[in-house]
Amino acid sequence: MTTEAKFYHAGCPVCVAAEQQLAAALDPDRYRVEVVHLGEQKARLPEAEQAGVRSVPALVFNGQVFHINHGADLSELK
Amino acid sequence: MTTEAKFYHAGCPVCVAAEQQLAAALDPDRYRVEVVHLGEQKARLPEAEQAGVRSVPALVFNGQVFHINHGADLSELK
């Protein structure tokens, strides 16, 4: 069974590094990672906020938020 | 071929969550994760600093540092 993970980002360099390295390093047998660009998909900002995302890049799974380094605050994307 | 990854932490709740969830989610076929408790292994603080770690928990691999949420600044562990 695979766990759904969401990787929220905004296309910033810090985000791209985290996506290409960390999100891509997850075990594909256990995790399926959906990549969400919050700069382009503003309709998904409330969903990210509700999950507890305060800045991007962030990885969310199993109800936990992992803020990875710091690219931009969520408030800057609104 | 497996990539060596280092997970630096200090035993804090934020660190434990990141270790049990995020470090454990890496693909074991591609990454071997060494867990380093900097509170107990202070001799390894310089190595972490040199890698660019500023706070724990942090995951380091392929020359990149990913600070995951924020448990403690490295300076607090000295």
Side-chain angles (χ1 to χ4, degrees), chain A residues 17-18 21-22 24-28 30-31 59 61-62 64-69, chain B residues 17-18 21-22 24-28 30-31 59 61-62 64-69:
Chain A
Q21 297 277 333
L22 192 55
L26 296 196
D27 184 352
R30 293 179 290 149
Y31 297 91
L59 192 63
F61 59 92
N62 292 335
Q64 288 204 288
V65 183
F66 300 103
H67 297 96
I68 302 155
N69 292 334
Chain B
Q21 296 278 333
L22 192 55
L26 296 195
D27 184 352
R30 292 180 290 150
Y31 297 91
L59 192 62
F61 60 92
N62 292 335
Q64 287 204 289
V65 184
F66 299 103
H67 297 95
I68 303 155
N69 293 334

Side-chain angles (χ1 to χ4, degrees), chain B residues 8-76:
Chain B
Y8 293 104
H9 74 110
C12 54
V14 171
C15 297
V16 172
E19 181 186 349
Q20 291 179 346
Q21 296 278 333
L22 192 55
L26 296 195
D27 184 352
D29 290 342
R30 292 180 290 150
Y31 297 91
R32 197 172 60 190
V33 183
E34 183 193 5
V35 175
V36 182
H37 189 318
L38 288 173
E40 293 172 354
Q41 300 179 64
K42 289 186 191 292
R44 298 193 61 178
L45 278 165
E47 159 203 315
E49 265 182 325
Q50 203 152 15
V53 175
R54 293 187 308 268
S55 64
V56 288
L59 192 62
V60 177
F61 60 92
N62 292 335
Q64 287 204 289
V65 184
F66 299 103
H67 297 95
I68 303 155
N69 293 334
H70 187 274
D73 284 330
L74 219 62
S75 58
E76 297 172 48

Side-chain angles (χ1 to χ4, degrees), chain A:
Chain A
M1 206 188 80
T2 55
T3 297
E4 294 279 335
K6 290 192 173 72
F7 179 77
Y8 294 104
H9 75 109
C12 54
V14 171
C15 297
V16 172
E19 180 185 350
Q20 291 179 345
Q21 297 277 333
L22 192 55
L26 296 196
D27 184 352
D29 289 342
R30 293 179 290 149
Y31 297 91
R32 197 172 62 191
V33 183
E34 183 193 5
V35 175
V36 181
H37 190 317
L38 287 174
E40 294 172 353
Q41 299 178 63
K42 289 187 191 292
R44 297 193 62 176
L45 278 165
E47 160 203 314
E49 265 182 325
Q50 201 153 16
V53 175
R54 293 186 308 267
S55 64
V56 289
L59 192 63
V60 178
F61 59 92
N62 292 335
Q64 288 204 288
V65 183
F66 300 103
H67 297 96
I68 302 155
N69 292 334
H70 187 274
D73 285 328
L74 218 61
S75 57
E76 296 172 50
L77 305 175
K78 290 181 183 177

